[in-house]
Amino acid sequence: MNPKNRIDFLVDELKKHNSLYYQETAPQISDREYDLLLAELKQLEAENPQYLRADSPTQAVGSDLSVESKTIDHIEPMYSLDNLFSVDDVIKFWKNLGCPNLSMEPKFDGFSINLFYQGCSLRYATTRGNGKQGENVTANLGMVEAIPKKIDYVGEVEVRGEVYMPKSEFNRLISSGHGFANPRNAAVGSIKLKDKSQAQNRNLQASFYSVGYFDKLQINSQNEIFGFLKEQNFKVSELTQFAQNEQDIRGYCEKLDKVRAELDFEIDGIVFKVDDFTLQKKLGFTSKYPRWAMAYKFPAEEKVSTLLDIEYNVGRTGAITPVAILEPVQISGSTVSRATLHNFVFLRSLDLHIGDKVRLIKSGEIIPKIISGEERSKESSPLDLPQNCPVCNTELQYGDYIAFCSNNSCPARSLRKLEHFASKGALDIVGLGPKQIEALAENGFLEKIEDIYSLDYGKILLLERQAEQSVNNLKNSVEASKSKSFAKVLYGLGIEGVGAQTAELLADRFRNIGDLQTAEVEDLQSVDGIGPILAENIVSYFANPDNQKTISELQKAGLQFSVSERAVKEGKLSGKTFLITGKFSAYSRQELKDLLTANGGKYLSTVSAKLDYLIVGEAPGSKLTKAEKLGTVTIVQEEELSRLLGFHKLI
Ligand code: IVH
């Protein structure tokens, strides 16, 4: 029997026995026989991932049998799109091609997926990955309702589209304490959740816009792709239109920019595609992009509002950040009533008065920023820069750029320290976000980092608005934080100037807190990227009795204060040093760093004679020029990484 038929047979057979066992409690085969069939199926699926069925019992919810995440080759590569930033450039692009008919589609801000169907069933779902092969996300995507598991088409087809999280769902998650920066990150996070049933609860949506490989289909245009997709019950965007002339293109850009704030999903631009496939084929591809399509990116939205007040926030290190309080305005889909003013130099350069009209922009679609003062009314009043800490009243120290509160036990600083400690990049204590920290602090449960480990959960439950489930989650996640690495703990302590990367380097070099605490300035400076000022900072942090107490309390609570020897990384890259520059298609920079260090590589912070390899992505920075000048560094392109790692394929 060929593998496909055998897989189909085993899936159906196992499903039947599952149902006999669970639903009818009348099993017809022994557990052992069941296990043997299942093992055979797992083996066949691993060898023939193209025949993996989304409804296979190996992929089931709650099952601990899910196959490990593997890569699968795309049959047709998945390209990305080149960007244009003005409507005039879109018109130029179109004229250069000879003014063909274009499809115009919203550019969804989610992540692209590839769904492979064969014989009417979804066989697997993959991410775009590096364009040639993607990560197998069948198990999690199989839980998403918007992904059709069965279609009418009987041949083979790769269907492509975007999975995204609606804004409303994103807001729901944020208000229940999840710390995602934007819906896109939240969507990616949901698809990588270990607990697949959670993915189902996240209300992910999808919109489809292209096909990769197809066998028997007759498709000659982008318009026909949409026809096919609709016929097969794939959701396609109702906002798609076709352009025949310049006015159509300009009108569409205007219309989408206008409506996008009201949509329940984020779009960051418009995709223009040549409609006719014959012309598409003639134009072909560059190494990265199709020559027959372009993405037009919307300009960041600007709005004018009134400056009502300036609030002065006290940060973890005591630095004061001025924050503008504004008359609420809608920008890029959310209501903005606060905007950062960064520091006092920036604040002075804007020459603001309370009551001024100010122009603001949402940069990177996340943090609103004031770009200029617009108009001054007669009633507006000049700023009164604070002389004392707004929270503890200590007299502020003014430098050239910053003002700061020098009171080490300023309650605001303590709150920020707690927030930092519990944040995602540090100990990642879910359920201990800024709101919860504030509530617990107000009620006397939390003041210092170490208090997190002696919380009285019974009493917390008695507080208003504390649900049993969330208090339980908090407890679990506090427990889980005890196994977070030494580097994360070090980062979480919030030593001024010690970011996540420096914390890794420190943990790597000193191995345990004892050796780090007794390290001298010179020892510290021998670590890559640590200069004299940072070294002094670290020494004085450990010399402070309050900090020593925090550390000893955390040690008592069972947190990791040494590099667990199991985690000493030996691998293919042991003894080699790395740096990366630019953007990567298959990885975030953090993922890539993790991959390198997980294989024993050492990550440096600057280009120096010590550097062996520089991994170069798209749009590399000055590191590349430096490395080339040195002449001793091996330059590795993203595509060559798999060879370096000795991988058959990139994961
Ligand atoms: S077509 C060869 N259409 O944008 C054409 N992409 O910057 C490949 N995207 O990787 C893509 N909406 O994740 C296409 N209507 C749309 C899209 C779209 C969003 C994403 C997709 C792609 C990225 C390229």
Side-chain angles (χ1 to χ4, degrees), residues 3-21:
K4 179 185 170 301
N5 289 350
R6 182 69 186 162
I7 287 177
D8 283 345
F9 166 78
L10 287 170
V11 169
D12 293 338
E13 189 70 359
L14 285 162
K15 280 172 79 172
K16 182 182 90 186
H17 290 300
N18 264 344
S19 153
L20 285 168
Y21 184 89

Side-chain angles (χ1 to χ4, degrees), residues 408-419 437 447-448:
N408 231 334
S409 38
C410 171
R413 290 181 61 178
S414 307
L415 283 187
R416 300 292 100 73
K417 279 185 202 163
L418 280 159
E419 285 167 12
I437 289 176
E447 189 189 331
K448 297 207 152 76

Side-chain angles (χ1 to χ4, degrees), residues 79-81 105-108 112 128 162 209 271 273 290 292:
Y79 288 89
S80 76
L81 293 169
E105 310 161 23
K107 185 169 190 299
F108 291 89
S112 43
R128 192 181 91 87
E162 199 87 350
Y209 45 68
V271 182
K273 297 175 190 162
W292 43 265

Side-chain angles (χ1 to χ4, degrees), residues 443-566:
N443 287 286
F445 287 95
L446 267 184
E447 189 189 331
K448 297 207 152 76
I449 292 173
E450 53 267 38
D451 301 337
I452 296 175
Y453 296 92
S454 53
L455 287 173
D456 186 335
Y457 296 100
K459 283 200 185 136
I460 293 177
L461 251 181
L462 302 177
L463 293 181
E464 218 183 319
R465 307 219 292 182
Q466 297 284 343
E468 188 161 347
Q469 182 64 35
S470 18
V471 175
N472 259 335
N473 289 348
L474 173 63
K475 193 171 164 185
N476 291 338
S477 135
V478 166
E479 237 1 82
S481 73
K482 293 182 185 166
S483 50
K484 288 271 148 68
S485 69
F486 178 37
K488 297 261 184 208
V489 176
L490 263 184
Y491 172 60
L493 291 176
I495 307 169
E496 193 171 351
V498 177
Q501 191 180 324
T502 309
E504 290 264 1
L505 293 174
L506 285 172
D508 222 40
R509 162 82 167 74
F510 294 96
R511 323 294 300 169
N512 64 65
I513 193 76
D515 286 357
L516 178 58
Q517 271 174 316
T518 51
E520 315 230 337
V521 172
E522 298 76 56
D523 301 332
L524 290 161
Q525 272 186 258
S526 71
V527 174
D528 262 302
I530 296 189
I533 298 177
L534 183 49
E536 289 282 359
N537 261 349
I538 297 172
V539 169
S540 72
Y541 176 89
F542 288 117
N544 178 320
D546 285 341
N547 298 334
Q548 288 169 359
K549 179 161 172 282
T550 298
I551 291 171
S552 86
E553 294 290 323
L554 293 178
Q555 272 178 309
K556 273 189 227 149
L559 274 82
Q560 303 297 315
F561 276 95
S562 60
V563 175
S564 89
E565 287 311 320
R566 263 182 303 131

Side-chain angles (χ1 to χ4, degrees), residues 220-234:
N220 298 308
S221 67
Q222 182 63 16
N223 199 357
E224 286 175 23
I225 286 192
F226 284 120
F228 167 76
L229 291 173
K230 274 192 243 174
E231 240 171 60
Q232 303 298 323
N233 275 329
F234 290 96

Side-chain angles (χ1 to χ4, degrees), residues 387-430:
Q387 296 310 312
N388 298 79
C389 171
V391 178
C392 72
N393 212 32
T394 304
E395 193 179 336
L396 294 181
Q397 323 251 314
Y398 272 86
D400 285 343
Y401 287 89
I402 56 164
F404 64 96
C405 167
S406 57
N407 174 10
N408 231 334
S409 38
C410 171
R413 290 181 61 178
S414 307
L415 283 187
R416 300 292 100 73
K417 279 185 202 163
L418 280 159
E419 285 167 12
H420 172 76
F421 185 83
S423 68
K424 210 166 157 49
L427 280 294
D428 192 17
I429 307 180
V430 191

Side-chain angles (χ1 to χ4, degrees), residues 279-440:
L279 181 54
Q280 280 194 9
K281 280 211 188 82
K282 228 160 71 196
L283 290 165
F285 296 85
T286 69
S287 66
K288 281 201 190 124
Y289 311 120
R291 292 201 182 84
W292 43 265
M294 275 287 175
Y296 160 67
K297 289 293 197 74
F298 293 129
E301 202 179 343
E302 286 180 22
K303 279 281 170 72
V304 171
S305 174
T306 309
L307 179 66
L308 301 178
D309 197 3
I310 294 194
E311 211 177 79
Y312 297 92
N313 283 351
V314 190
R316 176 162 54 88
T317 57
I320 309 285
T321 311
V323 177
I325 308 298
L326 304 160
E327 183 99 36
V329 271
Q330 281 279 323
I331 313 188
S332 315
S334 60
T335 310
V336 170
S337 52
R338 303 161 68 82
T340 177
L341 289 161
H342 303 290
N343 54 47
F344 286 84
V345 175
F346 184 66
L347 177 61
R348 286 192 201 106
S349 74
L350 289 173
D351 178 33
L352 296 176
H353 284 192
I354 303 292
D356 281 356
K357 291 261 183 269
V358 290
R359 178 168 292 274
L360 46 145
I361 185 172
K362 225 170 161 193
S363 53
E365 301 297 328
I366 304 170
I367 304 162
K369 180 176 159 179
I370 292 191
I371 49 171
S372 61
E374 282 288 295
E375 204 184 299
R376 181 151 298 164
S377 78
K378 286 202 191 77
E379 295 87 60
S380 65
S381 51
L383 295 184
D384 238 353
L385 292 188
Q387 296 310 312
N388 298 79
C389 171
V391 178
C392 72
N393 212 32
T394 304
E395 193 179 336
L396 294 181
Q397 323 251 314
Y398 272 86
D400 285 343
Y401 287 89
I402 56 164
F404 64 96
C405 167
S406 57
N407 174 10
N408 231 334
S409 38
C410 171
R413 290 181 61 178
S414 307
L415 283 187
R416 300 292 100 73
K417 279 185 202 163
L418 280 159
E419 285 167 12
H420 172 76
F421 185 83
S423 68
K424 210 166 157 49
L427 280 294
D428 192 17
I429 307 180
V430 191
L432 204 54
K435 290 251 157 59
Q436 177 74 325
I437 289 176
E438 204 180 312
L440 294 180

